[in-house]
Amino acid sequence: MQQIVVGVAVVRDGLVLAAYRPGPEGGWEFPGGKVEPGETDEQAAVREIREELDLEIKVGESLGPGEDISEAFRLHVYRAVIVAGDPVLREHSELRWFAPEELDESDWLVADRPFVRALRTRR
């Protein structure tokens, strides 16, 4: 059974927050992490964004069916809005706010790309 990983597309004023994962297979991604036993996807998203970015968020709609990261992990991505705080860089090399027209999926991690497409079409 695959473990679920949640990614969060934090949206503010029409812009989407992305985090850059450095390294040879790096790229932009939606911040987030693993769903712990007993947590819902939404609870994990709130916890992970608090830990990684020091933000309080309200989780909204799913951006579509999950994507396999590997045999062990499956990524689910949700939209969210900021309830409190400003993003703090803790675990990534860079944070950036993207306008929908700036979302070029080739710069993103492979598993995140279908969710980038969903954001561009849904705005």
Side-chain angles (χ1 to χ4, degrees):
M1 184 171 165
Q2 291 178 308
Q3 181 171 10
I4 300 299
V5 175
V6 291
V8 182
V10 177
V11 179
R12 179 174 69 188
D13 298 327
L15 303 176
V16 179
L17 184 63
Y20 193 81
R21 180 183 298 271
E25 295 184 25
W28 292 104
E29 68 176 352
F30 297 108
K34 296 175 187 158
V35 177
E36 299 295 336
E39 279 185 320
T40 65
D41 286 7
E42 293 82 2
Q43 289 167 331
V46 168
R47 177 184 51 76
E48 286 287 346
I49 297 305
R50 184 181 301 130
E51 291 172 0
E52 287 187 18
L53 301 173
D54 200 26
L55 290 174
E56 294 299 324
I57 60 168
K58 180 178 180 192
V59 179
E61 70 174 327
S62 168
L63 292 178
E67 287 290 318
D68 290 340
I69 298 173
S70 68
E71 287 186 25
F73 298 102
R74 185 162 182 83
L75 176 64
H76 294 186
V77 176
Y78 297 85
R79 285 178 72 121
V81 294
I82 297 173
V83 174
D86 289 308
V88 175
L89 185 64
R90 290 191 174 149
E91 296 187 13
H92 296 85
S93 63
E94 185 179 350
L95 295 174
R96 180 176 164 197
W97 291 98
F98 284 91
E101 61 274 7
E102 297 175 314
L103 293 171
D104 177 358
E105 65 191 72
S106 66
D107 295 335
W108 288 69
L109 297 180
V110 173
D112 290 77
R113 291 175 186 176
F115 305 107
V116 170
R117 272 181 243 133
L119 276 172
R120 277 200 321 254
T121 59
R122 291 183 191 184
R123 295 196 183 208

